[in-house]
Amino acid sequence: MTELRHRGAKDGEPPLEQQPSEDKGSDSELKADKEGVSDESKVDSGVPEVPVPPDDTPEVLNKALSGLSSRWKNWWVRGILTLAMISFFFFIIYLGPMVLMMIVLCVQIKCFHEIITIGYNVYHSYDLPWFRTLSWYFLLCVNYFFYGETVTDYFFTLVQREEPLRILSKYHRFISFALYLTGFCMFVLSLVKKHYRLQFYMFGWTHVTLLIVVTQSHLIIHNLFEGMIWFIVPISCVICNDIMAYMFGFFFGRTPLIKLSPKKTWEGFIGGLFATIVFGIMLSYVMAGYRYFVCPVEFNNDSNSFQVDCEPSELFQLQDYNLPGVLESVTGWTTVRLYPFQIHSIALSSFASIVGPFGGFFASGFKRAFKIKDFANTIPGHGGIMDRFDCQYIMATFVNVYIASFIRGPNPSKVVQQLLALRSDQQLYIFNSLKAHLTEKGLLRAAEAAA
Amino acid sequence: MTELRKRGAGGGDPDTAENISDKEADGDDRLGLSGDTEGECDVDSKTDTPDVPASTADTDNTPECLNKALEGLPPKWRNYWIRGLLSICMISGFFLMIYLGPIMLIFVVMSVQIKCFQEIITIGYRVYHSYELPWFRTLSWYFLICVNYFFYGETLADYFGALVRREEPLQFLARYHRFISFTLYLAGFCMFVLSLVKKHYRLQFYMFAWTHVTLLIVVTQSHLVIQNLFEGMIWYIVPISIVICNDIMAYLFGFFFGRTPLIKLSPKKTWEGFIGGFFSTVVFGFILAYLLSQFQYFVCPVEFNSETNRFTVECEPPDLFVMQEYTLPAALQNTLSWKTVNLYPFQIHSIFLSSFASLIGPFGGFFASGFKRAFKIKDFANTIPGHGGIMDRFDCQYLMATFTHVYIASFVRGPNPSKVLQQLLMLQPEQQLSIFHILRSQLKERGLLPPLAVRAE
């Protein structure tokens, strides 16, 4: 995020962390909002401000930094937490796909919890009957549906082996729908005369949250299964864009970007774009060399564990590209060796820098609308989990759509599964069409085709 | 819907559908309003307007000719006659559209969807006084177009595979369909963010969420209805008829025998109506399934004939619609003294569809009633004289459409062969080859491959 630093302010030391003064800025904006918002007061006055949560900083940090002034202490806390989070990110990558999936699930649950809690605070609906239970029940249902679809796709052989799993997967949609319907009926039965509107609001709130949080966490897991590089590079690009845009804004920022976040600047935005593209190219170059990152995650039936072992696809093999004339004269090279993935990474980085921030503006607008400073106070100095992940959501969807459109075809095991479920005459029809297609392409020799 | 008719109350003729419940809902609201405003005053009266100005839902929309023809009767009877006439009109309209064919039905589904969306969004505008919000009407309709584009694109690519492969621009659109849809949606999202105005953040977020929930409910389910339609028109007609029948039957049973209230949310629904409606709907569905299963027009999947460029409904009827003999269980054998009975398997499925429509379908109606109570509106709109808006008539249908779709996907058909073929052709050549070999060995095992092939091995 770009930052506008007031020139001539006291502190000379550049802050190391991501968004320290955005929250401070939003504080002053909140005060300005309160004055200007008189005609919204009829609508909003029923909602008291969510009380700012108490300072959550661990005692040890407090002691270590007790000597510094409070502003520096804030920056140091943020800096240390940023480094801690990035190291944690590296650590879980090392631990492998299974742990990553667990982490995604935990993050999803925590984000859901944060947003639902805001809804409760906004609507004073703690005392609504059943409502907490129902929200968590819907979360479980939707997760069951999505995880079931994922598991069926990727663990196809395992599922076929175990009888109860096979039944669950064959009737998966029906079971998920029945579970959801039960929740729906419980909701209708729980409607209480005096609280209809609140209950409908919370119902709507829950569903929109599910739509945003749960579907996109599952898209992240789909990306992960394509290859860990499709999980790591987008997330790193978004983080890098945050940090770089902040730095550029800090040093060069002058022109405000959008009224919604007055501390963002055009200089930071554009600087962040270029820096992120360069970072993305370098990161993909580094990662594309390792099978651990590049291979699709597969479940090995014999060893009952995940493995990332394969022949790297064309995307991750060095190829020669002819430079366009302009670049040739500038750099004096005729060809350059690149992984094709690096070219894709330019598209990913551009998206992260140009459209990703809109996710952040959306979250800022949401916080302004409901007059909250942060989603929660889970991470000292940074706010809630949702605060850190707001830009990631659009990115995850984009990467998934990008992969589906430009990279891979459908999943072969899923196609086989569907094929075997068809009727015999349909299978014959497909067999003949496929045979014709393959013969046309010269993949089947004529003798084989006749067989 | 079950109705509790107050014995000995005035008014001789029964209402046809749920208007009594609406009137009673009004009465309840008047009683409950005071209770509501007291109980909710610390939140609702401040956060939202206490009363939605009931503009369109209350004006009388009856055509002048009907008014003249019925001016001799007292107002209550006149109301019943209007409703009765409109019910018969709607049912005849339904038959007419079935006769006109699948394309017409798709258009009708789409029009209903757009009207329902408009009704719900209009309620949102009135609740939040958000007429003057910048861009918001445009954005709501834009999102509707995006989501429709996404769904129709997926449907078309599946069912019109041959047509799509022929035309070059269509092929391009089909290949990058998801990306294009996502880009369109993102453009709308970014416009929303850029349109956030300082004083109206909360309203804008509310309307954004309202639009999305409406899209989720209305648009996805109308597309499920269309997918059901493509399976065979019987999968479209039977569920809708069953829901209508349940409404009418439950009302009649409640009218004649109703005594025990069913649920506090709709005090005019009764257990007698509920159970009576259940049994009569099962019987009705059974009979209707028998009648319709005989015609290819209803039973065959709708296909697009690339040569003649139109829809055809001609095929060899699937096993589901071929008469089979079933041996009755012993208990029924004793009572009926029949050993076996000839049934279409589809009739057995229709029992399940009818049960769902009678037992769970009403929850959709309760949900809509609760929604109307929550926002203190009598009807969704006033499109149909005497009945309210389109949404009022279709509220029970939505759950039914989703259930039918899930039912078909789970118990009746397998995946769509043209879609599987399409996916096959998009795979890598090595994968295609390996699948080819798997399929060949499978078919050989089952003896489906012609003998020439076997000999050449």
Side-chain angles (χ1 to χ4, degrees):
Chain A
M1 306 282 193
T2 59
E3 297 289 338
L4 177 64
R5 181 166 188 266
H6 293 289
R7 299 257 165 213
K10 300 173 203 113
D11 308 277
E13 186 179 337
L16 304 163
E17 55 290 304
Q18 296 184 10
Q19 312 170 13
S21 26
E22 191 204 18
D23 293 327
K24 292 201 194 90
S26 65
D27 265 345
S28 55
E29 285 151 14
L30 275 180
K31 290 194 200 82
D33 270 345
K34 271 190 217 136
E35 292 151 26
V37 136
S38 50
D39 56 334
E40 227 188 344
S41 60
K42 279 197 286 283
V43 176
D44 285 346
S45 55
V47 179
E49 279 187 38
V50 176
V52 177
D55 187 13
D56 212 18
T57 331
E59 196 47 42
V60 54
L61 273 181
N62 267 332
K63 278 202 164 154
L65 304 167
S66 54
L68 305 162
S69 74
S70 72
R71 200 167 174 192
W72 282 30
K73 187 173 91 170
N74 196 21
W75 287 349
W76 270 106
V77 167
R78 288 162 158 282
I80 292 174
L81 259 302
T82 308
L83 287 174
M85 289 194 289
I86 294 180
S87 325
F88 182 65
F89 185 43
F90 285 143
F91 180 60
I92 53 179
I93 291 173
Y94 171 73
L95 285 178
M98 215 30 191
V99 176
L100 277 171
M101 266 175 69
M102 293 289 133
I103 298 281
V104 169
L105 184 64
C106 296
V107 166
Q108 173 207 100
I109 293 178
K110 190 69 177 67
C111 288
F112 183 79
H113 171 71
E114 284 178 7
I115 299 182
I116 293 289
T117 310
I118 292 175
Y120 289 151
N121 289 335
V122 169
Y123 292 115
H124 296 290
S125 38
Y126 276 118
D127 43 351
L128 278 183
W130 289 82
F131 214 77
R132 299 190 133 201
T133 320
L134 274 175
S135 302
W136 288 105
Y137 178 79
F138 281 128
L139 177 69
L140 264 171
C141 281
V142 180
N143 265 321
Y144 174 77
F145 173 69
F146 278 118
Y147 271 104
E149 301 255 312
T150 319
V151 165
T152 317
D153 282 355
Y154 290 105
F155 295 95
F156 180 59
T157 357
L158 172 70
V159 167
Q160 295 297 101
R161 234 170 30 192
E162 310 280 343
E163 185 62 31
L165 284 185
R166 206 157 56 89
I167 295 182
L168 280 183
S169 89
K170 183 154 163 48
Y171 298 109
H172 176 68
R173 287 200 175 183
F174 191 75
I175 295 172
S176 312
F177 182 64
L179 287 176
Y180 177 82
L181 264 192
T182 314
F184 182 83
C185 295
M186 295 315 309
F187 169 72
V188 171
L189 291 173
S190 78
L191 287 174
V192 172
K193 195 166 184 179
K194 292 199 167 80
H195 302 290
Y196 288 147
R197 193 181 295 218
L198 283 184
Q199 292 181 291
F200 272 94
Y201 279 157
M202 285 311 296
F203 187 78
W205 190 288
T206 305
H207 277 69
V208 175
T209 310
L210 285 173
L211 194 71
I212 298 177
V213 172
V214 178
T215 54
Q216 304 205 37
S217 72
H218 280 275
L219 293 179
I220 292 181
I221 291 182
H222 274 279
N223 296 346
L224 179 71
F225 272 92
E226 278 301 307
M228 282 168 62
I229 199 171
W230 291 104
F231 172 80
I232 296 169
V233 167
I235 292 185
S236 312
C237 283
V238 173
I239 295 175
C240 168
N241 185 59
D242 269 6
I243 298 176
M244 286 297 146
Y246 175 81
M247 298 284 206
F248 274 88
F250 180 81
F251 287 116
F252 308 112
R254 223 161 273 138
T255 334
L257 179 63
I258 186 174
K259 276 201 295 272
L260 189 56
S261 298
K263 299 188 115 314
K264 311 283 184 286
T265 60
W266 276 102
E267 290 85 4
F269 186 72
I270 295 176
L273 169 68
F274 285 112
T276 307
I277 291 179
V278 169
F279 171 80
I281 292 179
M282 291 194 311
L283 182 70
S284 355
Y285 179 76
V286 166
M287 290 202 143
Y290 296 93
R291 278 206 200 152
Y292 183 67
F293 295 125
V294 152
C295 290
V297 175
E298 269 158 0
F299 186 74
N300 189 335
N301 298 305
D302 310 310
S303 61
N304 268 5
S305 66
F306 284 103
Q307 60 179 38
V308 270
D309 212 5
C310 67
E311 197 55 45
S313 76
E314 279 175 7
L315 211 54
F316 302 101
Q317 287 172 7
L318 279 173
Q319 290 181 15
D320 280 329
Y321 288 92
N322 293 319
L323 283 179
V326 166
L327 284 177
E328 266 192 54
S329 32
V330 163
T331 51
W333 293 331
T334 351
T335 65
V336 67
R337 306 206 68 194
L338 284 180
Y339 292 104
F341 181 71
Q342 290 180 273
I343 312 227
H344 289 296
S345 80
I346 296 179
L348 296 180
S349 312
S350 315
F351 183 86
S353 311
I354 300 176
V355 184
F358 279 90
F361 299 151
F362 186 84
S364 295
F366 181 83
K367 286 190 278 190
R368 296 282 175 80
F370 295 99
K371 295 193 171 47
I372 52 180
K373 178 180 180 296
D374 284 322
F375 279 92
N377 204 36
T378 320
I379 311 177
H382 283 274
I385 298 274
M386 196 65 200
D387 285 295
R388 289 277 65 79
F389 283 85
D390 52 18
C391 294
Q392 300 281 359
Y393 279 123
I394 302 186
M395 192 70 200
T397 317
F398 175 75
V399 172
N400 190 276
V401 172
Y402 188 86
I403 294 177
S405 304
F406 298 112
I407 310 286
R408 71 163 162 87
N411 185 8
S413 57
K414 189 171 191 178
V415 178
V416 169
Q417 192 189 359
Q418 290 181 326
L419 202 51
L420 296 176
L422 287 174
R423 288 197 313 260
S424 317
D425 54 326
Q426 294 168 323
Q427 286 181 349
L428 255 177
Y429 164 72
I430 290 185
F431 177 75
N432 289 327
S433 314
L434 186 59
K435 187 163 76 169
H437 175 81
L438 288 174
T439 324
E440 223 182 280
K441 284 205 162 181
L443 289 163
L444 266 185
R445 293 187 306 275
E448 242 187 272
Chain B
M1 300 287 198
T2 59
E3 298 287 338
L4 175 64
R5 181 161 188 270
K6 292 199 176 53
R7 299 258 165 212
D13 289 308
D15 263 355
T16 39
E18 324 150 317
N19 253 27
I20 282 192
S21 73
D22 290 331
K23 289 200 197 98
E24 289 297 320
D26 264 354
D28 284 330
D29 272 345
R30 276 184 223 111
L31 298 173
L33 247 187
S34 38
D36 271 344
T37 43
E38 282 158 14
E40 297 175 294
C41 66
D42 53 334
V43 184
D44 263 9
S45 58
K46 285 188 195 152
T47 53
D48 304 294
T49 54
D51 273 307
V52 177
S55 51
T56 58
D58 280 351
T59 53
D60 188 10
N61 211 359
T62 333
E64 197 47 42
C65 55
L66 273 182
N67 267 332
K68 278 202 164 158
L70 303 168
E71 63 189 357
L73 304 162
K76 203 165 183 186
W77 281 33
R78 193 175 86 178
N79 199 20
Y80 296 154
W81 271 104
I82 290 177
R83 289 159 156 281
L85 277 174
L86 259 303
S87 299
I88 296 178
C89 272
M90 290 194 287
I91 294 178
S92 323
F94 186 43
F95 284 146
L96 178 68
M97 293 178 316
I98 292 173
Y99 172 73
L100 285 176
I103 280 276
M104 204 54 199
L105 281 171
I106 293 179
F107 276 121
V108 168
V109 170
M110 194 155 151
S111 317
V112 166
Q113 172 208 101
I114 292 177
K115 192 70 179 63
C116 286
F117 182 79
Q118 197 238 344
E119 285 179 7
I120 300 182
I121 292 289
T122 310
I123 292 175
Y125 288 152
R126 289 212 305 259
V127 169
Y128 293 114
H129 293 294
S130 37
Y131 276 122
E132 62 270 10
L133 277 184
W135 290 79
F136 211 79
R137 300 190 133 202
T138 321
L139 274 176
S140 301
W141 290 104
Y142 178 80
F143 281 127
L144 177 70
I145 294 175
C146 280
V147 180
N148 266 320
Y149 174 75
F150 172 68
F151 277 119
Y152 273 105
E154 300 257 311
T155 322
L156 286 181
D158 283 356
Y159 291 105
F160 296 100
L163 173 70
V164 168
R165 276 191 280 278
R166 235 173 26 194
E167 311 278 343
E168 185 57 38
L170 284 185
Q171 225 186 7
F172 176 77
L173 283 181
R175 174 125 175 74
Y176 298 109
H177 176 69
R178 287 201 176 183
F179 192 74
I180 295 172
S181 311
F182 181 66
T183 313
L184 289 175
Y185 177 81
L186 263 193
F189 181 83
C190 294
M191 295 314 309
F192 169 72
V193 172
L194 292 173
S195 79
L196 287 174
V197 173
K198 195 166 182 179
K199 294 195 167 79
H200 302 291
Y201 289 146
R202 190 182 296 222
L203 283 184
Q204 291 182 290
F205 272 94
Y206 279 159
M207 286 310 296
F208 186 77
W210 190 287
T211 305
H212 278 69
V213 175
T214 310
L215 285 173
L216 195 71
I217 298 177
V218 173
V219 179
T220 54
Q221 307 206 36
S222 74
H223 280 274
L224 293 179
V225 169
I226 290 180
Q227 291 202 333
N228 294 347
L229 178 74
F230 273 94
E231 277 301 306
M233 282 167 62
I234 200 173
W235 289 105
Y236 172 82
I237 297 170
V238 168
I240 291 185
S241 314
I242 289 178
V243 173
I244 295 175
C245 166
N246 185 58
D247 269 6
I248 298 176
M249 287 296 148
Y251 175 81
L252 289 177
F253 273 86
F255 179 78
F256 287 117
F257 308 112
R259 224 160 269 140
T260 333
L262 180 63
I263 185 174
K264 277 203 293 275
L265 189 56
S266 297
K268 299 189 106 335
K269 312 282 184 288
T270 59
W271 277 102
E272 290 83 7
F274 187 70
I275 294 177
F278 171 65
F279 282 113
S280 53
T281 306
V282 169
V283 170
F284 171 79
F286 201 75
I287 298 176
L288 183 69
Y290 176 77
L291 289 175
L292 291 182
S293 298
Q294 298 162 13
F295 298 96
Q296 269 189 20
Y297 183 66
F298 295 122
V299 154
C300 292
V302 175
E303 269 155 39
F304 186 74
N305 190 335
S306 337
E307 286 104 48
T308 60
N309 268 3
R310 16 189 12 248
F311 287 99
T312 53
V313 269
E314 258 175 36
C315 65
E316 196 56 42
D319 284 341
L320 212 54
F321 302 102
V322 172
M323 207 56 107
Q324 287 180 18
E325 277 196 49
Y326 290 89
T327 41
L328 286 177
L332 282 177
Q333 271 193 32
N334 294 336
T335 48
L336 296 173
S337 70
W338 289 334
K339 288 242 179 64
T340 65
V341 65
N342 278 329
L343 284 181
Y344 292 104
F346 180 70
Q347 291 181 274
I348 311 224
H349 289 297
S350 81
I351 297 180
F352 291 109
L353 294 179
S354 313
S355 313
F356 181 85
S358 314
L359 298 174
I360 311 279
F363 280 90
F366 299 150
F367 186 85
S369 295
F371 181 84
K372 286 190 279 191
R373 296 281 177 87
F375 295 99
K376 298 193 173 50
I377 52 180
K378 179 181 180 295
D379 283 322
F380 280 92
N382 204 35
T383 319
I384 309 176
H387 284 272
I390 299 273
M391 196 63 200
D392 286 294
R393 290 275 63 80
F394 283 84
D395 51 20
C396 294
Q397 301 280 0
Y398 280 124
L399 279 180
M400 191 69 200
T402 315
F403 175 76
T404 311
H405 183 84
V406 172
Y407 189 85
I408 294 176
S410 303
F411 298 112
V412 176
R413 73 161 160 89
N416 184 10
S418 52
K419 188 171 189 177
V420 178
L421 183 60
Q422 191 189 8
Q423 290 183 325
L424 256 183
L425 296 175
M426 287 211 301
L427 288 174
Q428 308 285 341
E430 318 83 61
Q431 295 166 325
Q432 287 178 345
L433 261 176
S434 72
I435 291 182
F436 177 76
H437 290 300
I438 294 176
L439 189 56
R440 189 170 65 174
S441 55
Q442 269 266 328
L443 289 175
K444 242 192 296 185
E445 242 178 274
R446 288 198 262 161
L448 287 164
L449 279 181
L452 172 63
V454 177
R455 232 186 304 132
E457 280 285 32

